[in-house]
Each structure stands twice: as C-alpha cells, then as structure tokens.
Amino acid sequence: MSSNPVPRSGKPVKSVDLHVGEALPGVAKTDPIIIADDITRAFGGLKAVDVQHLEIPRGAITALIGPNGAGKTTLFNLLTGFDKPDSGNWTFDGKKLNGVSAFKVAQMGQVRTFQLTKALGLLTVLENMKLGARNQIGESLLPSIFPFLWRKQDESIALKAMDILAKFKLDTKSDDFAASLSGGQRKLLEMARALMSDPTLVMLDEPMAGVNPALTQSLLDHILDLKVQGMTVLFVEHDMQMVSHIADWVVVMAEGRIVAEGPPDVVMKDPAVIDAYLGAHQELDLGVVTGRYTEEEVAQ
C-alpha cells in the first residue's frame, strides 16, 4: 500500500512506489482500488473508449488527461454507472461493478462530481448537502410520515453538513439557494456534498472548468485535503500546471485508449503525450501510439 506522509504544513507529499515494473500503459499497481479490463464503448461508428487494462492506485491522486474527445468523461461515466459499456469488467475495492447502477456505486463509496455542476438550484445550500448523506431513515415512505423516527438523525446530518461547509467556507451561504452561488462556489458545493457520504474514492470531472481564478487555489487545497483524509482521488483535467502540482500519478488517454502512464514529471516528457496534445512529434504518429495503425501502414 502506498504511504502518504503528511508534513507539518498539513499538505501531502507525492506518493511513490505506486506501480510494479516499468510505467507503461496498463501497468500493475501495488495496491489498486479500481481494476478495469477490456472496457469498450462505441457511439455509432466511433469507439469512444477502448481500454484494455487500467488500474487506479489507492490513497493517491491520479489525473486522467488527454485532448478533447479522448474519452475521459465517457470512461468516468462507465466506471460510475452513468453509462453502460459495450464490453468489459471492472472492480472497485474488490467488488465487481458490472451492471451496478450509479446510486448503488455511490453507496459503495465511489462518488463523483460533474464538469457541469449538478447542484439543485431551488434548494438551499444546506438542503443540497443533506441530500448527500447515506442511509437516511426519512427517505423511506413509511418512516417519513413520522418525524420522531428521523428527526434526531436529520439534526445530526445537518451538523455534519455545516461542519463540512465551514471547511469549504460556504457555511455563511447555508440558507441561500444554490442557484445564487457563483460557478466556483457550486464546484465547491458539489465537492462538499460528495463528502457527506464518507467516500473511499472521489472522482472529479474537470473541477477547475469555469472557475474564477480567485477560487482556484481553494479548490486545489481541498483536493489535496481529500488525500490527507485518506481518500483516493481520480480527476479529469486539462491544466497541465495543476496536474503536475497535485497529481501523484497521471494516466493519458487519446482516441479512447490509454497511451501513457506514470509520475507527472515523466509523463509530461513522453513523446506520446506531446503528440496527443500538440502534434509536435511528427515522427511519432498518434495512430501508431494508440495501436490503430502499424508504422508500416503509416509509411504507405
């Protein structure tokens, strides 16, 4: 299992020794929390995801990067039960997730946020938070009729919600409608709500997208804090500076496939990654990298 020592500053240092052997696409991890095999998803004639093998290391922050259309969000949707693959098998914490619906995946401890926030605008910030708590007695039809059965639990959930909101500096907004929040504040609210379920794995889809620069550092600190609290983080991001700053491990997708894996400083120098983002290495065709063509076919 990877060790995540926390220095006096309270910030986690980079996790090391996360993989076994050479850091190639699909490399085995020392303690994987997600293991996926032969995951495919096609839309019409386009194969959006074609992942042969992928493992996500436990207790670390993993970045999933790649150009637009690489299949990152589609892979997120498949792993979290929001979409069904054409083929493939995957496990979370040793439990098979094939065919498991999204809400059950969340109940198992694997939660996600969205690129476009899903806060319920006509509910207050506190009400949005309370929705994230698991196993609420009042959610069942019969007990909901009798407040004395669920009132004490509801008060406990509200206290927990306010404590988390305070950490995200949203406690003063608790009675405001979520629709009144800025884009960055909604991102914070969605991340805070995810923590109400005490997750093991938090998956963030482009957490910095559309966020005011004034809130960027706050979001970064909260992502790092998830690791300090013992959670595993998997996030999609385009900002390479952010990725190199907080990620312990980087997985690169292009044309639906995994083309590179490794520590940020190594991956950023990988010709396959440079080609995927910039097309800078003309001698290394992306079709060859992803296995769609052979070098002989490209030469013809």
Side-chain angles (χ1 to χ4, degrees):
M1 183 177 294
S2 60
S3 58
N4 301 320
V6 181
R8 292 172 185 245
S9 64
K11 302 300 182 186
V13 298
K14 291 293 184 78
S15 298
V16 296
D17 300 327
L18 297 174
H19 65 292
V20 179
E22 189 176 357
L24 297 172
V27 64
K29 305 304 186 299
T30 53
D31 184 22
I33 192 168
I34 285 183
I35 301 176
D37 289 295
D38 302 316
I39 307 293
T40 64
R41 181 69 168 102
F43 299 96
L46 173 67
K47 187 169 281 190
V49 172
D50 186 8
V51 174
Q52 293 183 353
H53 186 76
L54 175 65
E55 297 185 10
I56 303 300
R58 185 189 307 271
I61 299 177
T62 299
L64 181 62
I65 69 172
N68 289 330
K72 306 180 297 295
T73 295
T74 302
L75 180 60
F76 251 48
N77 291 339
L78 295 173
L79 294 178
T80 54
F82 283 87
D83 192 11
K84 294 183 179 179
D86 299 320
S87 65
N89 300 283
W90 68 101
T91 62
F92 163 67
D93 211 11
K95 306 177 186 71
K96 193 172 181 180
L97 289 188
N98 300 57
V100 179
S101 57
F103 80 93
K104 289 184 178 179
V105 171
Q107 289 176 345
M108 294 167 67
Q110 179 181 323
V111 301
R112 68 165 295 180
T113 64
F114 295 83
Q115 183 177 350
L116 299 175
T117 56
K118 302 296 182 181
L120 300 177
L122 296 183
L123 295 182
T124 67
V125 169
L126 179 58
E127 288 168 341
N128 268 275
M129 289 291 290
K130 291 164 73 174
L131 287 175
R134 291 189 287 178
N135 303 319
Q136 297 190 50
I137 299 172
E139 290 180 338
S140 300
L141 179 59
L142 186 59
S144 69
I145 302 173
F146 305 102
F148 69 89
L149 292 176
W150 50 261
R151 184 175 290 117
K152 186 175 181 179
Q153 184 193 44
D154 188 66
E155 291 173 353
S156 176
I157 289 172
L159 288 173
K160 178 179 179 180
M162 289 301 297
D163 182 55
I164 295 175
L165 285 173
K167 292 178 181 178
F168 283 77
K169 297 182 179 179
L170 290 174
D171 50 321
T172 58
K173 302 281 187 179
S174 62
D175 293 326
D176 295 352
F177 288 115
S180 69
L181 301 180
S182 68
Q185 288 173 328
R186 291 189 194 187
K187 292 274 188 178
L188 289 171
L189 173 58
E190 193 165 60
M191 192 183 302
R193 184 175 59 191
L195 301 187
M196 287 293 293
S197 63
D198 299 315
T200 305
L201 169 64
V202 179
M203 300 173 64
L204 310 170
D205 192 356
E206 297 198 31
M208 299 299 168
V211 174
N212 187 303
L215 282 176
T216 299
Q217 186 59 51
S218 177
L219 273 167
L220 282 174
D221 289 341
H222 286 301
I223 293 172
L224 289 167
D225 193 51
L226 296 178
K227 178 180 172 181
V228 173
Q229 295 178 52
M231 287 170 253
T232 301
V233 179
L234 173 62
F235 72 100
V236 172
E237 188 51 57
H238 288 288
D239 187 333
M240 293 300 98
Q241 186 175 3
M242 173 195 168
V243 168
S244 62
H245 176 61
I246 70 172
D248 302 304
W249 191 260
V250 178
V251 177
V252 187
M253 290 189 72
E255 299 183 356
R257 300 188 178 191
I258 306 299
V259 299
E261 282 194 60
D265 57 334
V266 175
V267 166
M268 300 307 174
K269 300 174 184 176
D270 191 311
V273 179
I274 297 172
D275 188 57
Y277 273 98
L278 305 175
H281 284 238
Q282 300 302 322
E283 74 278 5
L284 185 62
D285 190 277
L286 188 56
V288 175
V289 173
T290 58
R292 298 189 181 279
Y293 311 103
T294 65
E295 293 184 11
E296 291 75 14
E297 289 173 328
V298 171
Q300 295 175 358

